[in-house]
Amino acid sequence: EHIVGIQEIVMPAVYSYHTVPKLDMTAYLLARVTDWAKYNLLAGEANIFFDDNYVGKSYLNPNVSSDTLLISLGRDEKISVKRIRLNDYSARKIVSSNIRETKAFETTIKNNKNIPIEIEVLDQYPISKNSQIEVSVDDTDGAKVTEEYGKLIWKIKLQPNESRKIKLVYTIK
């Protein structure tokens, strides 16, 4: 068995960090490649190198209809992400037959690198399909909100050794 390189491509990309602290408190480096259709890529496994270092394998799927191809370059351990539930803001109140519950979360992102970064933080709040259950968002701390999905996105620029806290507070009635 032999491994033979068929093609080596150097693609210009815009690099950004992405994290979903609700699922995994890790930051990932993403390469966003535009105008990727001109490379005639095939779907399949690819070995990814970044700064002449082997990062790992990734699955490339050029059959998507997006104008930007996303390639994950793995975890970055120098960016710390922590998400905690704030008990000071959280409360549960029962008034007659209604239950009102407030939940609050604080996410802290710290850049331990010696260069400035931009990171996209993704979170969500619950969406009710039942007309008797109401969900209201009390504090999104400046996030871009997509209400039909309950999706929240913060785009944060951090200087070296800078940390930022973002808060999410919502109430279910």
Side-chain angles (χ1 to χ4, degrees):
E1 183 176 311
H2 298 283
I3 297 176
V4 177
I6 297 172
Q7 186 177 21
E8 186 175 311
I9 300 173
V10 177
M11 290 189 260
V14 175
Y15 299 98
S16 65
Y17 292 92
H18 182 81
T19 184
V20 185
K22 183 176 183 178
L23 300 176
D24 183 10
M25 289 192 243
T26 306
Y28 292 88
L29 179 60
L30 292 179
R32 298 173 193 272
V33 180
T34 55
D35 199 22
W36 54 270
K38 68 181 180 183
Y39 297 109
N40 293 323
L41 300 173
L42 297 173
E45 198 173 81
N47 292 317
I48 307 294
F49 290 84
F50 182 66
D51 285 340
D52 292 328
N53 292 321
Y54 177 73
V55 175
K57 293 181 188 261
S58 185
Y59 186 80
L60 295 182
N61 184 7
N63 298 324
V64 295
S65 60
S66 174
D67 62 344
T68 303
L69 182 65
L70 294 175
I71 302 171
S72 175
L73 299 176
R75 298 175 182 228
D76 193 326
E77 302 297 332
K78 290 190 175 184
I79 299 172
S80 65
V81 180
K82 186 176 181 183
R83 183 178 194 258
I84 59 169
R85 185 172 178 175
L86 298 174
N87 293 324
D88 295 346
Y89 290 93
S90 300
R92 184 179 176 113
K93 297 177 184 173
I94 301 174
V95 179
S96 68
S97 64
N98 290 333
I99 298 173
R100 185 180 178 115
E101 188 169 350
T102 301
K103 294 188 177 191
F105 299 93
E106 182 180 74
T107 304
T108 306
I109 299 103
K110 183 166 191 222
N111 178 12
N112 296 313
K113 300 173 82 65
N114 56 6
I115 58 169
I117 63 159
E118 184 173 321
I119 187 166
E120 184 178 81
V121 181
L122 178 67
D123 209 333
Q124 74 177 74
Y125 61 90
I127 299 293
S128 173
K129 300 291 182 195
N130 186 336
S131 62
Q132 295 178 338
I133 299 173
E134 297 174 18
V135 178
S136 62
V137 180
D138 304 326
D139 188 1
T140 62
D141 209 359
K144 180 182 171 192
V145 181
T146 306
E147 291 185 11
E148 68 179 299
Y149 303 116
K151 181 176 163 182
L152 302 156
I153 297 178
W154 292 267
K155 293 192 180 204
I156 300 170
K157 292 182 180 178
L158 293 173
Q159 295 302 316
N161 294 317
E162 181 185 3
S163 67
R164 179 98 34 96
K165 293 182 179 185
I166 53 176
K167 190 168 45 172
L168 168 62
V169 182
Y170 60 87
T171 304
I172 303 169
K173 181 179 175 187

